[in-house]
Amino acid sequence: MAVSPSSRARGLWWLSPAGAVALVVLPTLAMALRLPDDRFRAAWGTPRWLYGEYVLLLLAGVAVFAVASLLPLLLPRSSLARPWPGLAPIMRQRLLLASSVVFWATMLGYLAYLAVGVARGARPADFVAVLVSQDTLSADLKEVFAPVAGVTTMTQFGIAYVVLGTVLLMDGPAPGVYRRLAIVGGAALMRAFFLSERLAILELIIPAVAVVAMVAAGSPRTWVSRATRWAPLIFAPAVIAVFGVFEYSRSWVFYQARTGGSFLDFAVERLSGYYTTAYNNGQMLYMFDNVAGRIPLRTLEVVWTAPVVEQLGLYDRLSPGGSSALQDLLAQKANPEFNNPCGLCDPFLDWGAAGGLVWWALAGLLLGLAYRAFCNGSLYLLLLYPPLVTGLFEVPRYLYWTQGRLAPALVALALIGWWATRNPQRAPAAKPRSARPAQWWPRR
């Protein structure tokens, strides 16, 4: 399925920075504001801190971000010689080769991760016990499979592979890609289930949906194009369904005997709690952790969690106790079980009110430029923008863009984009599939 140039140029509103953030922030923030203090205490075991001027500051941040992200849409639109994503033959050939390297790097990471878990004591019986009990909350697999610097980094190349694979499939037939996508997705699914790491599967699904949706939005079939543009109407029930599947084993088994009621009611309340308490935690931090001289943490998390830097505990050496401030405050003034720090709030906590607005303006401008280039078919942003979409949808809860788990995929995709567009006129033409594959490494 291909996208016509005119349809491609318009883009898709809910994939744009302004559209995506408005779609998730406005309803969830409104929900948090309408709930009284006694509801916060009864449902999520925390007092309500979300009041007053801080809410206006958050709305100002959203407005600044949205306006800044819309400015690049005033730039001229490009036309593609080929339907979107419009890969030139040599670019496609190079992406296929690069995708194989990324796939095997991902598999090596998962095999090493499994070996580390086995060395720490994980046994097949532990996984079987979780499947039988459907209780991942009380299982110790998450501790056994605690992140290992370098090893878990390699598993994150799975994000890059999903982006490469989906782009290739949307551009034309790609032998073996479906099978490899299923393998990478299956590994992430097991990680999401057994280790209660729901983000591991979401950060694969959302980029793939972003690429597929752009293609579907330009479908010559009118009903497909219209359905894609109105897809957010089915997002809410789909999100509840996916959330419920994972939450059943993550917390329902534990709470069922204590709360009563239906699982659907529990899942909806639990999901809404992740968003409402995130905003609440953000204001709590702003009130009690806004200490002069505190070094920015979450907007620079990729720096502080980098290999060696994290092992040296550099952040706590420079800003003692700063990294544990959230957990300490949750234990004292809220509920440690709901520990999302609020991504929308983090720039204000790190840089102050004025600095936070500047941060959101710059973020909006950069993401707006990225979205425009993505719509225009720039190979770099065809690869880089889809993972950034995950951060747009998760911004009420945390700043995904600045987390270390995204960095390996972005670095890999940037390098692949550079290589795929380098000196295309000097590259050898692709040989037929029956011929011997071209040798793409330098000859001695």
Side-chain angles (χ1 to χ4, degrees), residues 177-210:
V177 171
Y178 278 118
R179 181 178 65 254
R180 289 181 172 182
L181 283 173
I183 293 171
V184 172
L189 187 62
M190 288 189 289
R191 181 174 167 185
F193 176 77
F194 287 109
L195 306 185
S196 297
E197 194 179 341
R198 203 161 29 227
L199 184 57
I201 192 67
L202 291 178
E203 61 190 355
L204 302 188
I205 293 175
I206 294 175
V209 168

Side-chain angles (χ1 to χ4, degrees), residues 129-139 193 249-251 253-254:
V130 171
L131 288 173
V132 172
S133 67
Q134 287 294 297
D135 182 3
T136 62
L137 188 65
S138 59
F193 176 77
S249 58
R250 193 170 186 261
S251 58
V253 174
F254 177 80

